[in-house]
Amino acid sequence: MKLFILVALFGLSLAQHNPHTKHGRTAIVHLFEWRWADIAAECERFLGPNGFGGVQISPPNEHIVLNSPWRPWWQRYQPIGYNLCSRSGSEGELRDMISRCNNVGVNIYVDAVINHMCGAGGGEGTHSSCGSWFNAGSRDFPSVPFTHSDFNDHKCRTGSGDIENYGDAHQVRDCRLVGLLDLALEKDYVRAKVTDFLNKLIDVGVAGFRVDACKHMWPGDLAVIYGRLHNLTTNWFPGGSRPFIFQEVIDLGGEPITSREYVHLGRVTEFKYGAKLGTVFKKWNGEKLFYTKTWGEGWGFMPNGSAVAFVDNHDNQRGHGAGGASIVTFWDSRLYKMAVGYMLAHPYGVTRVMSSFHWNRHIVNGKDQNDWMGPPSHGNGSTKSVPINPDQTCGDGWVCEHRWRQIKNMVIFRNVVNGQPHSNWWDNQSNQVAFGRGNRGFIVFNNDDWDLDVTLNTGMPGGTYCDVISGQKEGNRCTGEQINVGTDGWADFKISNRDEDPFVAIHAESKL
Ligand code: AAO
């Protein structure tokens, strides 16, 4: 009996680590600030056909609407209530998108902001995305409803009421993160309201949650909330499936709160991953690509089965959150494609690809003055839809990194090599490295300032393969470079350091 309970508990907690992606798909894309109607279309026309496993969507619930600055992207991290109308669209559009994505095998993960409501200075009125009245000053949110006793003001011991010192775990959990009204998640009433919100989304068909600001919530409170979540709907998921949970905890070391406190509850965002990978590809601090032979847990990252890996996110691509200047983003596209390619080729973690919008970056003394700028919008503040150009890229200021040929093809690579071990490592003791994934795929990088010209054991069956970075296989022809693998598995690789993309990748399904 004891053994049974142990197994059941273990199974329960592990289940929340499973993204439930379908058809062996392995990568998630964050369609940051996209409208629901555009996500639905993207699932059908692009994500499903190209093997993307799921989408992280922006917060779908009612949020504050701000004029100064004008409609910042971060207004969506200031909830007013749990009605499902947001800058991305109405509840009807949300429901339609979730079914259409599920119907083509693409899961939806909701960015769940449950630590707090809007900022203490958010004012009074109906400046919210569904038009609900609220009063931040008196802590009144009638659309939920939450009142002053549902907040942690009485528990916080700092002079300002805000978090002043990340070295004190109590204030990090009980005080206000940048002035955001901190919910008292120890109260059963508050837990019930939050749980109802999440369960409603599960019943509509979402596959799980990116839980915002978990460092600022007590793990014990989260355990109760997660434990009360419904199983995923059997319309699209096997009976008994637990929602996938991945928790935003920024742990770069040096603080009392660590990701270890959360890994038993679900996966956790591994912020060291992008911070280190950026440092390596930028060759800062004497880092070299060949040091990544032990990439993953060997670099002090959390256990593979606990991690969500990503190169950049919506915060640190614009200087919010953590990671700083080492983070590579679409602004540095050549390095970015390599870094994302490396992540997708490597077996570590559940991987998330970023999909951004352009803004007028204006850096003064290391700080971007326009880090607040929201998505491409019409004059009235409503978000523009995403037009698709004839060459499959996006228009109107949407960057769509996930549609870049090199990145899209590496998502497919990851699916093709899924379950295969990291193998056949080679390096030049500098910034040229290569590795395979069993006999299903092989990738070679040249991040040195000189050419690469080597013969390597790929571990792949003999034949001619199409490099999916310089081109791709279309029918029976290759639009890029071809790589001939001998019957012994060896192949010649030549990569100039001046190539547009100085890396090459082949896999079982790019064989001609
Ligand atoms: C906005 C305004 C504020 C205003 C507030 C309320 O910008 O001026 O006071 O409204 O009116 C987003 C935006 C915020 C925005 C907020 C609400 O980023 O600017 O505030 O919406 O609209 C911490 C949290 C982490 C959080 C991150 C931004 O721990 O959870 O800050 N990320 C999530 C979301 C994010 C969102 C929120 C949470 C809130 O992804 O989009 O905010 O819902 C240290 C700590 C980290 C801490 C950072 C930043 O990091 O470890 O936990 O993140 O500081 O404060 C080195 C260190 C590293 C350190 C870093 C920075 O890298 O190694 O540990 O330096 O010091």
Side-chain angles (χ1 to χ4, degrees):
M1 185 61 189
K2 266 192 192 138
L3 185 73
F4 174 77
I5 293 174
L6 208 72
V7 168
L9 281 175
F10 190 63
L12 195 78
S13 65
L14 272 188
Q16 292 177 168
H17 296 70
N18 180 346
H20 302 296
T21 45
K22 309 216 176 61
H23 317 303
R25 298 176 181 190
T26 56
I28 293 171
V29 57
H30 181 193
L31 296 181
F32 179 46
E33 284 282 11
W34 279 44
R35 294 161 63 254
W36 308 145
D38 290 310
I39 296 177
E42 190 70 350
C43 284
E44 293 169 345
R45 71 190 166 203
F46 189 83
L47 301 176
N50 287 296
F52 283 77
V55 182
Q56 177 184 321
I57 63 169
S58 285
N61 56 299
E62 182 164 17
H63 55 81
I64 200 166
V65 175
L66 296 170
N67 295 328
S68 170
W70 176 253
R71 308 286 195 265
W73 62 267
W74 43 253
Q75 64 183 17
R76 297 184 71 173
Y77 291 89
Q78 300 200 27
I80 294 303
Y82 301 130
N83 295 323
L84 297 176
C85 28
S86 65
R87 191 176 194 172
S88 288
S90 66
E91 177 169 347
E93 289 164 322
L94 176 73
R95 286 173 178 270
D96 177 63
M97 177 273 284
I98 293 169
S99 348
R100 285 165 62 191
C101 290
N102 276 323
N103 287 343
V104 293
V106 179
N107 292 348
I108 298 299
Y109 307 102
V110 166
D111 195 345
V113 185
I114 58 174
N115 171 65
H116 51 261
M117 301 298 278
C118 67
E124 176 193 348
T126 54
H127 47 296
S128 55
S129 55
C130 316
S132 299
W133 180 89
F134 67 98
N135 185 341
S138 62
R139 317 287 189 255
D140 208 6
F141 296 88
S143 82
V144 181
F146 284 143
T147 55
H148 66 281
S149 62
D150 297 321
F151 293 89
N152 272 335
D153 298 279
H154 63 288
K155 263 181 108 185
C156 170
R157 296 275 169 267
T158 64
S160 61
D162 293 342
I163 298 165
E164 294 171 359
N165 172 12
Y166 274 85
D168 174 352
H170 283 270
Q171 52 173 283
V172 173
R173 265 84 176 245
D174 294 338
C175 296
R176 298 180 310 219
L177 165 62
V178 293
L180 299 161
L181 296 174
D182 202 56
L183 285 167
L185 288 169
E186 90 235 9
K187 283 187 67 178
D188 211 52
Y189 174 78
V190 177
R191 290 171 175 176
K193 288 297 171 188
V194 166
T195 312
D196 287 349
F197 161 53
L198 302 179
N199 276 334
K200 180 171 177 184
L201 290 161
I202 290 173
D203 296 346
V204 171
V206 309
F209 303 96
R210 175 250 185 207
V211 186
D212 183 68
C214 285
K215 182 188 278 183
H216 308 282
M217 296 183 275
W218 293 96
D221 293 340
L222 290 174
V224 174
I225 292 169
Y226 300 162
R228 291 181 186 168
L229 296 181
H230 296 168
N231 287 336
L232 300 186
T233 160
T234 51
N235 290 347
W236 290 289
F237 302 96
S241 302
R242 296 299 294 154
F244 178 48
I245 302 281
F246 62 110
Q247 307 166 95
E248 189 226 13
V249 180
I250 298 177
D251 177 4
L252 295 178
E255 289 178 22
I257 300 178
T258 66
S259 50
R260 274 191 303 283
E261 290 180 58
Y262 295 87
V263 290
H264 63 293
L265 298 171
R267 287 193 184 242
V268 177
T269 48
E270 179 50 277
F271 276 83
K272 291 174 186 153
Y273 194 102
K276 292 286 181 193
L277 197 58
T279 311
V280 168
F281 273 99
K282 290 182 175 179
K283 299 186 252 188
W284 287 0
N285 306 341
E287 290 289 5
K288 290 184 165 60
L289 196 51
F290 95 94
Y291 298 149
T292 66
K293 185 173 184 181
T294 55
W295 188 243
E297 291 161 25
W299 275 59
F301 302 164
M302 67 184 88
N304 181 18
S306 304
V308 168
F310 52 100
V311 172
D312 62 330
N313 79 348
H314 70 282
D315 283 327
N316 63 19
Q317 67 172 199
R318 48 175 52 70
H320 287 231
S326 76
I327 300 297
V328 270
T329 69
F330 71 86
W331 292 107
D332 201 352
S333 63
R334 191 166 183 262
L335 277 192
Y336 190 64
K337 286 179 274 182
M338 277 201 275
V340 175
Y342 192 100
M343 171 181 82
L344 291 169
H346 194 278
Y348 182 83
V350 164
T351 48
R352 178 179 61 191
V353 170
M354 181 68 203
S355 189
S356 318
F357 56 79
H358 272 280
W359 70 97
N360 300 329
R361 205 162 56 145
H362 178 51
I363 297 176
V364 178
N365 296 328
K367 174 157 179 0
D368 183 354
Q369 305 301 304
N370 288 333
D371 63 346
W372 57 271
M373 280 188 169
S377 298
H378 300 286
N380 65 1
S382 65
T383 304
K384 286 187 178 172
S385 72
V386 182
I388 306 300
N389 299 321
D391 68 357
Q392 297 303 309
T393 60
C394 300
D396 262 357
W398 298 95
V399 182
C400 290
E401 296 92 315
H402 69 287
R403 279 178 166 261
W404 296 0
R405 182 190 66 240
Q406 300 83 344
I407 292 179
K408 173 210 49 167
N409 283 343
M410 285 309 298
V411 167
I412 296 170
F413 178 109
R414 187 175 190 78
N415 294 343
V416 172
V417 304
N418 190 18
Q420 297 289 316
H422 189 254
S423 54
N424 292 303
W425 175 269
W426 169 85
D427 66 63
N428 71 341
Q429 306 244 312
S430 182
N431 293 294
Q432 300 180 351
V433 306
F435 62 91
R437 296 292 304 277
N439 58 6
R440 300 278 293 166
F442 195 74
I443 191 162
V444 188
F445 293 89
N446 178 11
N447 198 31
D448 270 324
D449 300 327
W450 61 86
D451 293 350
L452 172 150
D453 187 352
V454 277
T455 305
L456 299 173
N457 181 10
T458 66
M460 312 256 303
T464 302
Y465 291 82
C466 183
D467 166 32
V468 299
I469 304 303
S470 55
Q472 59 197 10
K473 186 175 148 188
E474 278 168 16
N476 233 346
R477 71 179 253 282
C478 175
T479 62
E481 300 285 318
Q482 298 188 14
I483 304 291
N484 293 308
V485 176
T487 48
D488 56 359
W490 288 71
D492 295 332
F493 293 92
K494 287 189 174 53
I495 305 176
S496 163
N497 63 312
R498 293 172 310 277
D499 281 353
E500 183 186 343
D501 295 307
F503 64 121
V504 165
I506 56 174
H507 59 72
E509 287 175 16
S510 81
K511 195 171 181 195
L512 296 170

